[in-house]
Amino acid sequence: MGSNSYNPGDIVIQWLPPGLSLQISLDDQLAPCVDHVLPAGHKPPTNVSPHFASPKLPLNGVRVAGQGHTTNKTAKSMVGGILSSRLRYQHHEERKDGATFGLDVVSCDDMLGIEVTHTFEVFADVPVLRSWTTLRNQSSGFMTIMQASSLSIGGLTNGTRSWSESYSVWTANNTWFREAQWQERSLPDVGIDDIGLFELNDGHRATMARFSVSNQGSLSTETHLPMGAVTRKDGQDTWLWQIEHNGSWRWEIGDWQDGLYVAAGGPTKTDHAWEVVLCPGETFTSVPIALCHVVDSLEEAFATLTEYRRCLLRPHVDYERLPIIFNDYMNCLMGDPTEEKIHALLEPVRGCGAEYFVIDAGWYADDSNWWNDVGAWEPSQKRFPSGFKALLDGIRAKGLIPGLWLEPEVVGTRSVVSKQLPSSAFFQQCGQRVEERGRYQLDFSQFVVRKHLDSVIDRLVYDFRVGYFKFDYNIDLMTGTDADVTRGVSTGAAHLAHHRAYLQWVKDLLSRHDGLVIENCSSGAQRMDYAMLSVHTLQSTSDQQDPLLYAAIAAACPTAVVPEQGASWAYPQRRWSDETNVVTMINSLLGRVHLSGRLDNLEPAQYELVRQAMQVYRDVIREKLRTARPFWPLGLPRWHDEWVALGLAATDGTLLLAVWRRSGSNKCYLPLPKRHRNLLTVTLLYPAKFEAQIELEEGGLSIELPPVPCARLLQISP
């Protein structure tokens, strides 16, 4: 390795891929530090006080056994570690692969013999920075890694004095039935304040203040989305990030040298019982994160991140067709399918224009007591006396592609499969299988597990011609198996290995079965992350059964998932009013349609409302979904807002706008994005003949709706 000839303060990298600029310089220990990440065409401020000019936060947040901290940041923090400051810059290399631009920054510590390669990626001209690290043990002994952050960057407050009063932090709650609900808090409210930072002396670079959000367990987005944002209150500076991992993760913000930093990554020793032992020559690669910086509003950052997420998607014919999916679960058969009930639904489903018919939970069970008996995935003969193959053939005869619900990662405690597979196939704790809610967790890092599930999927595809799977997951394990702890594999490392093996298994399935659609569902949307979504075709957004509450979820979900992947339920009911049935239909129209409900029981006028909604989706909406950018005229929806609105800005210049009135005044003003304020024509797309008074006004439009809970879908054209 050896030393280099660089000096403190040297700018060693000025990287200019399409869409953004990245500058890296060296701190006084010659560790690389990100000076700025800016959208193309923007320059860092020039009239900055020396207090703010150089955040100099080491890029690599790495911690190994026995190495603590050098600053006032404590062991609870992701930054300020001894090793991070000793990782001296060595060299860098730029790469280009088609429309993907890459940068590798290599740093080393001679004392321990560790090499860290920090990799950045930019797709095409989308100004979003993707980042991860790869650690290599170049010593002659073992090395225990306890943290490998994917990015640490200071200077988020952009040279702003009194920045703690100027910026706020955003987090997103994501609980079952209440997904993607964002909250804004001031920095002082989360314990971060710039008061007194100028008086730091004796070499202190920061206080102990920090604010963190983390997840531990198998449900990667249970409680919070793996996202965060920092915005300036004038709406002219926004940082937005996401962690792309389907397991445990953490991000934090805090003060550093009179500014704000963010650090983010996957599992750590402190939070998740994760550590990895590297033998000489071995490597470990952290999980990716994405960082978006716009000199604009949070809404613009979400739109930019939407474009970035599209670059992650595995190519699939589903994104070209965006078909309508009928699923027999929500407010319909609710896990109790039978041959008779399904036959009754087929003609109404076909008549609405659906292209998939998915049989949800229960198809494998003779009765409703199936929860802890899953795992064999053989169809019930009692529910389908004419034969399951005959039923699925009948679905195809109606022009519909059959789909099935499956929970491949678990085996019920009463299942015969729990006795057929070896103990190594399951998560273990102190020599015992881990039982959670009547299920055992399969370990996908084991070949026997992947082979078993391959045979299950192949049988259902080849024997029954299944073209769609809804992959569900309904337990949450805090960490992985301890079966290999005696060999130096931590439970956190075992968990990470399982998560990565599961993703690879899904990729292999899709490669083997061309055209197969696999939906990601985990108790609604409790794994709505872009490790899962870069592999699975689409995402269930919730299990919420109240259409008025669902409106807040459906409107917020484009913050977490691109419209062409985000599937929200539409489940009309005979007992509901026409206005309530319109609400449930509009909940699904600006994303992927998950149609459900007992369509066979609807009155003719109710059924016609459903058919019209699906016609609007097929004729007008779905061709725009793949490239549309979301916006929120009333701001991000809050759970009890009286009015909620979601818009999609299409590339042809038109706007699609869903508006829900849930309570309060029956009139609302909706500002439109500045670039679209010259639009002239408003069309009530759905329901076309229902009451709505709409007027274009300067900067937006006003809408007056009936004084009952209701919704309308508008198209606004040049």
Side-chain angles (χ1 to χ4, degrees):
M1 290 177 282
S3 61
N4 55 46
S5 58
Y6 298 104
N7 298 307
D10 283 355
I11 297 173
V12 292
I13 300 172
Q14 287 184 312
W15 190 43
L16 300 171
L20 61 77
S21 67
L22 169 70
Q23 179 173 293
I24 293 178
S25 65
L26 304 183
D27 69 5
D28 53 7
Q29 299 297 315
L30 304 184
C33 307
V34 174
D35 289 333
H36 66 249
V37 178
L38 286 167
H42 291 271
K43 296 181 179 181
T46 56
N47 57 341
V48 177
S49 163
H51 280 290
F52 303 101
S54 303
K56 292 292 181 286
L57 177 69
L59 169 64
N60 299 300
V62 180
R63 189 179 301 174
V64 299
Q67 298 286 316
H69 276 64
T70 61
T71 71
N72 273 35
K73 293 300 178 187
T74 71
K76 297 183 181 70
S77 177
M78 299 178 72
V79 303
I82 294 173
L83 179 59
S84 297
S85 65
R86 286 210 320 248
L87 284 165
R88 296 188 174 190
Y89 167 81
Q90 300 295 306
H91 59 86
H92 68 274
E93 179 181 354
E94 297 184 27
R95 295 174 287 102
K96 184 178 183 299
D97 182 7
T100 301
F101 297 80
L103 172 68
D104 294 327
V105 182
V106 180
S107 305
C108 294
D109 174 48
D110 293 328
M111 187 180 300
L112 288 181
I114 184 172
E115 178 188 83
V116 179
T117 301
H118 203 110
T119 298
F120 296 103
E121 273 189 350
V122 172
F123 298 123
D125 58 352
V126 180
V128 175
L129 191 67
R130 199 169 192 233
S131 175
W132 67 89
T133 57
T134 300
L135 283 59
R136 180 183 298 276
N137 180 4
Q138 293 190 322
S139 74
S140 59
F142 296 97
M143 184 177 296
T144 302
I145 309 298
M146 306 174 75
Q147 176 186 303
S149 300
S150 298
L151 181 65
S152 302
I153 176 172
L156 269 60
T157 42
N158 201 30
T160 304
R161 197 177 182 91
S162 301
W163 49 263
S164 65
E165 296 297 329
S166 303
Y167 283 80
S168 56
V169 59
W170 293 75
T171 59
N173 292 336
N174 196 71
T175 55
W176 194 29
F177 303 140
R178 201 176 187 273
E179 291 83 356
Q181 299 302 295
W182 287 82
Q183 295 83 38
E184 180 184 15
R185 280 175 281 184
S186 73
L187 293 179
D189 280 350
V190 298
I192 300 172
D193 206 313
D194 60 10
I195 296 175
L197 291 183
F198 293 112
E199 284 70 43
L200 288 178
N201 52 27
D202 297 329
H204 296 313
R205 299 188 178 191
T207 72
M208 294 182 185
R210 78 198 186 302
F211 171 74
S212 65
V213 176
S214 65
N215 173 76
Q216 182 177 12
S218 303
L219 295 180
S220 58
T221 62
E222 193 273 326
T223 305
H224 290 99
L225 292 177
M227 301 177 64
V230 169
T231 61
R232 201 167 69 200
K233 293 180 181 179
D234 64 1
Q236 295 302 305
D237 193 41
T238 302
W239 297 82
L240 174 66
W241 56 87
Q242 69 176 20
I243 301 172
E244 296 163 9
H245 180 43
N246 54 330
S248 299
W249 51 264
R250 173 175 167 168
W251 63 259
E252 73 177 36
I253 59 173
D255 64 86
W256 186 272
Q257 283 192 329
D258 302 324
L260 196 71
Y261 75 85
V262 62
T268 68
K269 173 69 171 179
T270 303
D271 293 283
H272 313 108
W274 176 90
E275 61 184 28
V276 62
V277 178
L278 297 183
C279 298
E282 285 187 336
T283 63
F284 170 79
T285 299
S286 70
V287 306
I289 73 159
L291 181 70
C292 174
H293 182 206
V294 297
V295 186
D296 210 317
S297 65
L298 180 60
E299 181 176 273
E300 180 63 23
F302 279 125
T304 303
L305 196 63
T306 297
E307 296 179 351
Y308 162 81
R309 286 166 170 164
R310 288 178 170 133
C311 300
L312 299 178
L313 302 187
R314 184 187 187 279
H316 199 289
V317 67
D318 181 76
Y319 301 132
E320 301 171 14
R321 299 171 51 236
L322 300 179
I324 297 170
I325 301 144
F326 181 88
N327 181 298
D328 71 14
Y329 186 78
M330 188 62 68
N331 288 356
C332 188
L333 303 186
M334 298 300 287
D336 189 26
T338 66
E339 184 177 303
E340 181 182 7
K341 293 175 184 176
I342 290 172
H343 276 301
L345 284 164
L346 288 181
E347 185 57 33
V349 168
R350 186 201 65 79
C352 281
E355 292 132 295
Y356 284 87
F357 190 108
V358 179
I359 303 173
D360 209 283
W363 60 269
Y364 39 78
D366 288 342
D367 56 43
S368 59
N369 188 28
W370 48 259
W371 180 263
N372 60 358
D373 198 30
V374 298
W377 309 116
E378 296 281 356
S380 167
Q381 296 180 2
K382 183 177 179 181
R383 290 180 181 273
F384 314 108
S386 301
F388 200 53
K389 187 177 188 304
L391 177 65
L392 268 61
D393 286 346
I395 292 173
R396 283 194 173 272
K398 290 288 186 180
L400 299 162
I401 299 174
L404 293 177
W405 178 96
L406 210 66
E407 201 167 352
E409 295 166 75
V410 301
V411 171
T413 55
R414 294 194 299 120
S415 172
V416 295
V417 177
S418 69
K419 301 177 179 63
Q420 294 171 347
L421 293 175
S423 295
S424 61
F426 303 92
F427 277 29
Q428 298 177 56
Q429 189 175 57
C430 300
Q432 302 296 318
R433 289 184 187 178
V434 177
E435 178 181 340
E436 181 71 17
R437 299 186 65 202
R439 276 96 179 275
Y440 298 128
Q441 169 74 53
L442 291 170
D443 183 355
F444 272 72
S445 69
Q446 301 298 311
F447 173 76
V448 66
V449 171
R450 301 191 300 274
K451 181 179 178 182
H452 163 67
L453 268 302
D454 280 344
S455 67
V456 168
I457 300 299
D458 291 351
R459 170 172 51 82
L460 294 171
V461 170
Y462 294 134
D463 294 354
F464 298 100
R465 298 174 66 202
V466 174
Y468 184 110
F469 285 104
K470 175 180 178 177
F471 279 1
D472 208 347
Y473 182 72
N474 291 292
I475 65 174
D476 187 12
L477 296 182
M478 300 300 282
T479 191
T481 181
D482 68 2
D484 293 326
V485 166
T486 56
R487 297 194 297 110
V489 180
S490 69
T491 56
H495 215 196
L496 178 59
H498 157 76
H499 292 310
R500 286 176 162 172
Y502 172 77
L503 293 175
Q504 187 60 52
W505 175 73
V506 176
K507 289 179 186 178
D508 293 342
L509 280 185
L510 291 169
S511 296
R512 193 162 70 250
H513 298 293
D514 187 42
L516 182 66
V517 175
I518 300 180
E519 170 193 336
N520 178 36
C521 173
S522 302
S523 295
Q526 301 305 289
R527 292 196 296 186
M528 190 162 53
D529 63 78
Y530 263 88
M532 297 289 281
L533 285 168
S534 66
V535 175
H536 295 75
T537 319
L538 69 163
Q539 171 71 52
S540 301
T541 60
S542 186
D543 283 347
Q544 175 59 249
Q545 291 179 258
D546 184 324
L548 282 176
L549 292 175
Y550 209 133
I553 299 169
C557 270
T559 65
V561 57
V562 296
E564 61 267 35
Q565 282 187 299
S568 294
W569 292 100
Y571 33 60
Q573 303 292 305
R574 181 171 180 164
R575 69 182 187 277
W576 289 349
S577 70
D578 286 350
E579 289 287 13
T580 301
N581 280 328
V582 166
V583 168
T584 193
M585 300 311 299
I586 290 179
N587 286 347
S588 72
L589 287 180
L590 294 191
R592 295 299 298 276
V593 176
H594 260 180
L595 183 61
S596 194
R598 290 301 300 262
L599 304 185
D600 54 319
N601 291 340
L602 297 179
E603 297 287 353
Q606 293 174 321
Y607 181 79
E608 180 61 18
L609 274 178
V610 178
R611 193 200 64 77
Q612 288 175 8
M614 297 299 94
Q615 188 73 40
V616 168
Y617 174 80
R618 294 198 310 273
D619 292 351
V620 179
I621 298 173
R622 67 178 171 185
E623 68 176 1
K624 304 179 189 301
L625 286 182
R626 291 193 303 271
T627 55
R629 292 159 57 101
F631 66 95
W632 294 268
L634 302 177
L636 295 181
R638 294 175 296 180
W639 190 242
H640 295 294
D641 279 352
E642 295 177 346
W643 286 77
V644 172
L646 167 66
L648 293 182
T651 53
D652 63 4
T654 62
L655 302 180
L656 298 170
L657 183 60
V659 184
W660 294 265
R661 180 203 173 274
R662 301 197 292 180
S663 63
S665 171
N666 62 333
K667 188 172 183 179
C668 183
Y669 173 75
L670 297 103
L672 296 177
K674 291 180 181 179
R675 66 172 65 93
H676 295 286
R677 290 181 180 175
N678 61 341
L679 299 179
L680 301 176
T681 306
V682 182
T683 304
L684 178 58
L685 277 182
Y686 177 80
K689 297 182 179 180
F690 276 40
E691 177 185 350
Q693 296 183 28
I694 307 163
E695 294 183 8
L696 279 172
E697 299 181 5
E698 184 177 355
L701 60 86
S702 64
I703 182 168
E704 185 172 350
L705 297 179
V708 295
C710 56
R712 299 293 185 264
L713 180 66
L714 314 177
Q715 178 171 279
I716 309 169
S717 306

